[in-house]
Amino acid sequence: DMSTGAVESSLDTAEIYFRPIPPHVVHALIDAGNIYYCAGGLMIEDPLIAPYIESIYGNMSSVMGMGQHVLSSLLAKVRYSVPAPQPAAPQ
């Protein structure tokens, strides 16, 4: 928290287990190019890879980035409340 100097940290883990991925699928993923724009090089929601996911342990938001539950917990620890969304101004 920049206003108070409070610092908090957290650890969140997620594990993904895959079935064997055939070489033609690996090549298709490379050719599609999405792997170059994802942390870890993989989007688990990609239809090419989804059939090969055996199991996921952890929160889906943790797999995709910072888990929402972790962020909420950290904000609460520094007593930061998220402002309510404001209605859009009429155009």
Side-chain angles (χ1 to χ4, degrees), residues 14-57:
E15 297 177 22
I16 306 170
Y17 293 90
F18 296 92
R19 294 178 188 89
I21 302 171
H24 74 276
V25 173
V26 173
H27 292 291
L29 287 164
I30 292 168
D31 291 343
N34 292 335
I35 62 167
Y36 300 111
Y37 307 103
C38 299
L42 187 64
M43 290 189 311
I44 61 169
E45 68 273 19
D46 188 315
L48 289 171
I49 201 68
Y52 302 99
I53 296 174
E54 185 171 296
S55 57
I56 298 174
Y57 297 97

Side-chain angles (χ1 to χ4, degrees), residues 8 69-82:
E8 291 291 341
H69 62 288
V70 173
L71 179 58
S72 295
S73 170
L74 290 171
L75 290 173
K77 286 180 181 179
V78 296
R79 295 184 174 92
Y80 180 83
S81 59
V82 177

